[in-house]
Amino acid sequence: MILITGGAGFIGSNFVLDWLAQSDEPVINLDALTYAGNLGNLASLQGDPRHVFVQGDIGDRALVDQLLAEHRPRAIVHFAAESHVDRSIHGPGAFLKTNIEGTYTLLEAARAYWSHLQGTERETFRFHHVSTDEVYGSLGPEDAPFTEDHPYQPNSPYSASKAASDHLVRAWHHTYGLPVVTTHCSNNYGPYHFPEKLIPLAIVNALAGKPLPVYGDGLNVRDWLYVKDHCAALRLVLERGRVGQTYNIGGWNEKTNLEIVRTICRLLDELRPDAAGPRERLITFVADRPGHDRRYAIDARKIERELGWRPAETFETGIRKTVQWYLDHPEWVAQVQSGAYRQWIATQYGRVGPA
Ligand code: NAD
Ligand code: DAU
C-alpha cells in the first residue's frame, strides 16, 4: 500500500480517487483536515476498505511512526501543505510549521522506517515530494520556461516554505540515501478545487452574481494544468521516475488571469445564461497581491522524454469539464461556503483517527 499525506485536499483527493479507480492497491490517507481538507471529496469511497483515512498531523512523529510500522507502505506521496499564497502573506507561521517542520518530521520518520527495510522493499521504497513551480520565482515576458535546472528564487512565504521543504528532501537523499523524487507542477484546476483560488472562486462568484476580483492589471500569467493530468504524471513518476531526480509538470498552457476569468464568464453564459446579461460585467479590478509573481511557465520536456507524459486535456476541454463539474455539484459548493463540510467528518464517518 501507499501512504498519502494531504489526501483530503484538492489535488490529494483527486489523486486518491484516480488511484483507486485504476488499482486495488490500498491507500492510507493522513490528513489534518485543516480548512482546506474536505472528506466530502472522498464521499464516494465511504465503506471502501482500500481507503484508510487517518486524521492527524504530518508533524506528529509518533503517529507517523505508528502508521509506517503498522501499514508498511511501499511509498509515501507527500501532498500535505498550506498551499494558498494569499494566506501565506497574512499568516506565514502555519506555512513554516507544516511545509518545513512537517516535511522534516515526515522525512525523519521515513528515514527511520526505510533504514530497517531490506532487499526489494528497501530498493523500491520511494518518498515522493509534491512541489510547485513557484519555487523558481517569476519570469519576464520573453524568458524561457522553467527547466529543472532553473535557480530557486521563491518570492512569497508560501513558495519560500516549499523551497525549504524541497531542499530538505534533496538533502535527505544526498546525505542519508533516502530514495526521493520531487515534482514541480504548475497551477492545477478541476473538481474539488477550494473556492479561494482564482478558477473556482471565479466560477462560484459568477454563478452567484458576485464580483470577480482580478488582482492588479490582470495580466499576470500562469500555466494551467487539469488536475487529473497532474495525477497521471505523479503516478508515472512514482513508478518510473529516477531516484534523486526532479521533474517539472505543466500544461503548456500559459494564460493571463484576465483570459482565465473571461473564459469562465463565456462558458457560464453558454451553459447557464444569466438574465442580467454577460458575466464579464462582474469583473472587478482590485488591489494587487504584494510581491505578486508576474509569470510562471513550465518546460515539461524532461518528463515527456523520460516517461512519455504529456497532458491529455487542452485548456479548452479541461476548463469546460471543470465549469460543468461546479454546475453539477451545487451541494459541494454550498457545503464549502457554509462551512458545513467540516461537520461531514462527524456525521458521515463517526469516528476518524488512527485505528
Ligand atoms: P490544499 O490546500 O487543497 O490541500 C492541502 C491538504 O493538506 C488539506 O487536505 C489539508 O487538510 C492537509 N494538511 C495541511 N496541513 C497538514 C498537516 N500539518 N498535516 C496533515 N495534513 C495537512 O492543497 P492542494 O492544492 O491540493 O496542493 C497539494 C500539494 O500540491 C501541496 O504540497 C502544494 O504545494 C502542491 N501544489 C499545488 C498546486 C496547485 O495548483 N494547487 C500546484 C503545484 C503544487
Ligand atoms: O503555480 C503553482 C501554484 O498555483 C501552487 O503552488 C499553489 O498552491 C496554488 O495555490 C497556485 O498558486 P497561485 O497563487 O498561482 O494561485 P491562485 O489561484 O491563488 O492565483 C492565480 C492567479 O490569479 C495569481 O496571479 C493571483 C490571481 N488572483 C487570485 C485570486 C484568488 C486574482 O487575480 N484574483 C483572486 O481573487
Side-chain angles (χ1 to χ4, degrees):
M1 64 159 60
I2 60 169
L3 172 66
I4 305 284
T5 71
F10 163 48
I11 304 175
S13 60
N14 275 286
F15 184 85
V16 171
L17 291 169
D18 286 3
W19 182 270
L20 293 177
Q22 304 190 21
S23 149
D24 279 334
E25 184 175 16
V27 172
I28 317 154
N29 181 355
L30 172 62
D31 194 299
L33 296 179
T34 67
Y35 80 94
N38 183 350
L39 273 183
N41 299 358
L42 300 166
S44 61
L45 296 177
Q46 206 194 349
D48 188 329
R50 299 173 305 162
H51 177 235
V52 179
F53 181 76
V54 179
Q55 182 174 5
D57 196 311
I58 56 166
D60 181 344
R61 175 69 194 267
L63 173 60
V64 178
D65 283 346
Q66 182 211 317
L67 291 175
L68 292 173
E70 187 181 335
H71 297 285
R72 300 184 63 78
R74 71 172 175 94
I76 297 174
V77 187
H78 177 32
F79 294 94
E82 289 292 338
S83 72
H84 189 35
V85 173
D86 293 324
R87 285 181 189 256
S88 83
I89 295 167
H90 292 291
F95 288 71
L96 273 61
K97 186 126 202 75
T98 285
N99 301 0
I100 305 177
E101 285 180 40
T103 300
Y104 158 68
T105 303
L106 202 61
L107 282 166
E108 278 294 79
R111 180 165 77 93
Y113 167 70
W114 169 76
S115 68
H116 288 105
L117 294 178
Q118 307 218 316
T120 315
E121 274 192 332
R122 184 182 167 88
E123 277 160 32
T124 57
F125 180 78
R126 293 289 179 274
F127 184 102
H128 185 148
H129 180 54
V130 180
S131 190
T132 169
D133 59 359
E134 298 204 11
V135 298
Y136 299 127
S138 186
L139 292 169
E142 306 303 330
D143 290 344
F146 301 128
T147 65
E148 287 78 2
D149 297 325
H150 197 279
Y152 272 54
Q153 290 171 337
N155 291 318
S156 72
Y158 162 69
S159 54
S161 68
K162 289 296 289 188
S165 68
D166 294 358
H167 293 325
L168 293 176
V169 170
R170 175 189 163 88
W172 259 240
H173 172 63
H174 280 266
T175 303
Y176 305 114
L178 188 70
V180 307
V181 281
T182 295
T183 47
H184 297 276
C185 193
S186 61
N187 285 60
N188 286 215
Y189 67 98
Y192 305 113
H193 204 181
F194 196 82
E196 64 179 357
K197 308 276 174 85
L198 179 67
I199 286 185
L201 183 76
I203 298 172
V204 303
N205 277 13
L207 278 172
K210 290 185 183 165
L212 310 179
V214 172
Y215 298 162
D217 61 7
L219 298 181
N220 297 65
V221 171
R222 297 290 183 267
D223 168 47
W224 294 93
L225 180 70
Y226 191 61
V227 63
K228 288 176 185 303
D229 277 328
H230 185 192
C231 294
L234 294 175
R235 289 195 302 274
L236 263 183
V237 172
L238 184 61
E239 293 318 312
R240 294 202 276 115
R242 286 185 292 138
V243 170
Q245 291 286 310
T246 63
Y247 293 90
N248 285 355
I249 304 171
W252 298 106
N253 173 53
E254 290 183 54
K255 298 265 187 256
T256 66
N257 296 334
L258 211 45
E259 286 179 276
I260 295 290
V261 175
R262 286 188 174 137
T263 302
I264 289 167
C265 290
R266 279 197 296 273
L267 272 172
L268 282 173
D269 290 345
E270 174 199 325
L271 298 168
R272 180 81 47 95
D274 182 354
R279 288 179 170 91
E280 283 197 23
R281 73 183 190 284
L282 300 170
I283 292 176
T284 308
F285 289 93
V286 299
D288 209 350
R289 170 186 281 175
H292 197 177
D293 284 338
R294 192 62 174 170
R295 172 176 168 238
Y296 304 143
I298 279 272
D299 181 334
R301 282 180 296 179
K302 179 177 176 184
I303 187 172
E304 178 170 5
R305 195 171 57 245
E306 289 195 12
L307 306 176
W309 177 88
R310 267 191 79 87
E313 301 289 346
T314 63
F315 187 66
E316 288 64 36
T317 58
I319 193 68
R320 186 172 278 277
K321 283 184 183 175
T322 303
V323 168
Q324 191 62 55
W325 186 88
Y326 279 86
L327 288 172
D328 293 343
H329 293 83
E331 71 299 332
W332 184 89
V333 173
Q335 291 225 332
V336 167
Q337 286 180 324
S338 71
Y341 72 103
R342 306 203 76 169
Q343 266 87 65
W344 175 264
I345 308 156
T347 52
Q348 202 69 10
Y349 287 75
R351 187 193 69 87
V352 288

